[in-house]
Amino acid sequence: MTTTPRAAYFVSDSTGITAETLGRALLVNFPGVSFRHHTVPFVDSAEGAAAVAREIDRAADAGKEPIVFHTVRSPAVAQVLGEARATHIDLLNGHLTELEAALGTTASEQLGSFHTVGDTEQYFARMRAVEYAIEHDDGQSIRALDQADVLIVAPSRCGKTPTTMYLALQYGLLVANYPLTDDDFPTDGLPRAIAPYAARCFGLTTTPLRLSQVRHERRPDSTYASLAQCTLELRRAEDLYRRTHIPFVNSSTKSVEEMSAVIMQSLKLRT
């Protein structure tokens, strides 16, 4: 019998990235419960909050009581949102109270103040990182690889692009990724294009079955997606990582957030 997923809402008066990141980090501690995620950004008025509350109520009517994580600073907007039939988790309130006590001052009630750019230099660094990640996705460009903080190496469909974009957007790191293909084997060392940057390389792998399933969604019943091909590519990649002393992680058992943390720790990156 299939269990209906429970609705989980991430509501914010800005982009929703903070609410979703913190909310998902909490939900991952309950692997036995399935959730249907809904991110609702830019809820910055009572009218907008009322519309979201109605949507949450409809989800409650259709199944179990939803879980709502929010980072809404306006008390008036938060109050309207709180009228929805759900378990509400304010990701700011308790922490702000603790900070107010520690700092001896009151937090600003200005709408969206939690999400303002504040550090312009950091903002533009992250935008540059995203542009760099797009240019260097899947080995499209080898220009300026010497500037990369991280170079993710893996066979196709092992999770290179999501991890690259997460590191760029969340931490402002310059990340390139390089796909290992049949043309890169046999080889004694790393492919020529990335060999000079071995100290910044990090490998991804997965299980042959998982890789085959993901590739079948892209190219059904192809040699590319066959279990034999996936097994071969992963075996060669892992052997390459070991021979060249490249750290690597299995992406089939970790979230993008977890893989990013492992990469940053392994390469001793600080943001």
Side-chain angles (χ1 to χ4, degrees), residues 92-107 114:
L92 297 181
N93 187 41
H95 304 299
L96 284 178
T97 301
E98 293 173 4
L99 281 173
E100 286 178 337
L103 299 175
T105 186
T106 303
F114 178 74

Side-chain angles (χ1 to χ4, degrees), residues 155-156 158 182 185 205-213 215 223-239:
S156 172
C158 283
D182 289 340
F185 297 95
T205 185
T206 184
T207 64
L209 181 58
R210 175 59 181 161
L211 183 58
S212 178
Q213 291 171 338
R215 288 184 173 185
T223 300
Y224 165 79
S226 69
L227 188 59
Q229 178 67 19
C230 293
T231 301
L232 172 63
E233 290 187 35
L234 291 172
R235 186 174 69 244
R236 291 188 310 194
E238 291 175 17
D239 180 60

Side-chain angles (χ1 to χ4, degrees), residues 55-198:
E55 179 182 339
I56 294 170
D57 284 342
R58 287 193 292 271
D61 291 337
K64 298 179 181 178
E65 182 178 86
I67 308 293
V68 178
F69 300 92
H70 78 81
T71 53
V72 175
R73 284 291 293 118
S74 166
V77 175
Q79 181 178 354
V80 174
L81 182 66
E83 294 174 359
R85 300 197 314 277
T87 297
H88 294 266
I89 300 175
D90 185 340
L91 294 169
L92 297 181
N93 187 41
H95 304 299
L96 284 178
T97 301
E98 293 173 4
L99 281 173
E100 286 178 337
L103 299 175
T105 186
T106 303
S108 170
E109 294 187 0
Q110 180 180 352
L111 180 62
S113 60
F114 178 74
H115 305 282
T116 55
V117 173
D119 187 343
T120 304
E121 183 178 345
Q122 182 184 63
Y123 172 79
F124 284 111
R126 293 189 182 191
M127 292 305 99
R128 175 175 176 252
V130 170
E131 292 174 356
Y132 186 92
I134 292 171
E135 178 183 348
H136 295 84
D137 184 43
D138 214 29
Q140 294 181 100
S141 172
I142 60 172
R143 185 183 70 85
L145 282 182
D146 60 309
Q147 297 179 19
D149 296 303
V150 185
L151 209 165
I152 297 176
V153 185
S156 172
R157 311 303 286 180
C158 283
K160 297 188 303 298
T161 297
T163 308
T164 295
M165 294 305 298
Y166 184 85
L167 286 167
L169 185 59
Q170 291 292 103
Y171 300 107
L173 294 172
L174 298 182
V175 187
N177 67 67
Y178 183 90
L180 293 174
T181 66
D182 289 340
D183 292 338
D184 294 312
F185 297 95
T187 180
D188 292 330
L190 290 169
R192 183 180 302 177
I194 62 173
Y197 316 108

Side-chain angles (χ1 to χ4, degrees), residues 243-261:
R243 283 190 288 105
T244 56
H245 307 290
I246 299 300
F248 65 97
V249 68
N250 190 318
S251 65
S252 69
T253 60
K254 295 186 181 298
S255 66
V256 170
E257 294 88 348
E258 290 172 318
M259 287 192 291
S260 297

Side-chain angles (χ1 to χ4, degrees), residues 31-43:
V33 183
S34 60
F35 296 95
R36 186 173 64 257
H37 299 144
H38 306 269
T39 301
V40 189
F42 306 115
V43 180

